[in-house]
Amino acid sequence: MSAPFIMLVDDEITFVETLAKRLAERNIETITAFNAEEGLEKLKNNKNLEVIVLDIKMPGMDGIEALEELKKVSPLIEVIMLTGNATIESAINAMKLGAYDFIMKPFDIEELVCKVGAATNKKREHAEKIKDAQKQETLSKYGPFRYV
């Protein structure tokens, strides 16, 4: 199985850069964005992204608003919300809006790696089911291909 391809979206630049390095050491391909708007733009240009790790509290567009927009652009993308104690209700709300999971800051890197792996598997399974359904639809329309 290929390495997960994720995006980290958080306004804390040193946190994001350090986390990206630590994830790269664990064979997770990572791109970064330092606000929600940049994250949305990068998602549009990286259609093969599988998971987004998204901070809830950011200036400008917050993580909840960003989650809704990200899901409009890419409904199958899995999103893991980053939260502090003060935003636990927001994290639960995010789950209702389609987030895969949330993780509380500070967190253990291995916990995040596990959640990224599970979210990546879910995204890949959904994509595979859609491909299978499209194949079935094509077969039912045109029948099996035959050499003449």
Side-chain angles (χ1 to χ4, degrees):
M1 179 164 33
S2 60
F5 181 36
I6 74 166
M7 177 168 49
L8 302 174
V9 183
D10 194 313
D11 61 311
E12 297 176 47
I13 295 169
T14 41
F15 168 76
V16 170
E17 290 173 344
T18 302
L19 186 55
K21 285 178 190 165
R22 293 187 71 195
L23 291 169
E25 291 167 359
R26 289 160 175 83
N27 197 32
I28 296 175
E29 187 181 348
T30 307
I31 61 173
T32 60
F34 302 109
N35 59 56
E37 293 82 2
E38 183 184 1
L40 279 164
E41 205 51 46
K42 287 191 174 181
L43 176 59
K44 290 174 187 169
N45 297 323
N46 292 278
K47 294 292 185 189
N48 55 341
L49 267 168
E50 297 173 298
V51 178
I52 297 174
V53 179
L54 176 65
D55 191 26
I56 289 180
K57 290 195 99 171
M58 292 183 289
M61 183 187 295
D62 71 14
I64 300 296
E65 295 168 304
L67 171 64
E68 292 179 284
E69 293 303 312
L70 292 164
K71 285 290 191 173
K72 286 178 189 171
V73 173
S74 182
L76 291 183
I77 197 84
E78 295 297 345
V79 180
I80 298 170
M81 305 300 290
L82 290 177
T83 179
N85 287 329
T87 57
I88 192 76
E89 283 180 35
S90 296
I92 292 166
N93 186 37
M95 301 283 290
K96 291 177 185 172
L97 294 171
Y100 175 77
D101 205 346
F102 66 92
I103 193 165
M104 305 253 323
K105 286 181 181 179
F107 55 84
D108 178 70
I109 187 75
E110 295 309 323
E111 181 185 2
L112 179 61
V113 168
C114 282
K115 287 181 189 260
V116 165
T120 300
N121 289 339
K122 184 177 178 190
K123 163 80 165 58
R124 290 176 182 178
E125 286 171 15
H126 280 149
E128 198 58 41
K129 284 180 183 174
I130 288 169
K131 271 189 209 167
D132 289 345
Q134 289 169 334
K135 284 180 195 171
Q136 289 301 320
E137 183 180 9
T138 301
L139 283 174
S140 67
K141 261 188 197 172
Y142 303 106
F145 180 76
R146 290 188 199 93
Y147 289 100
V148 182

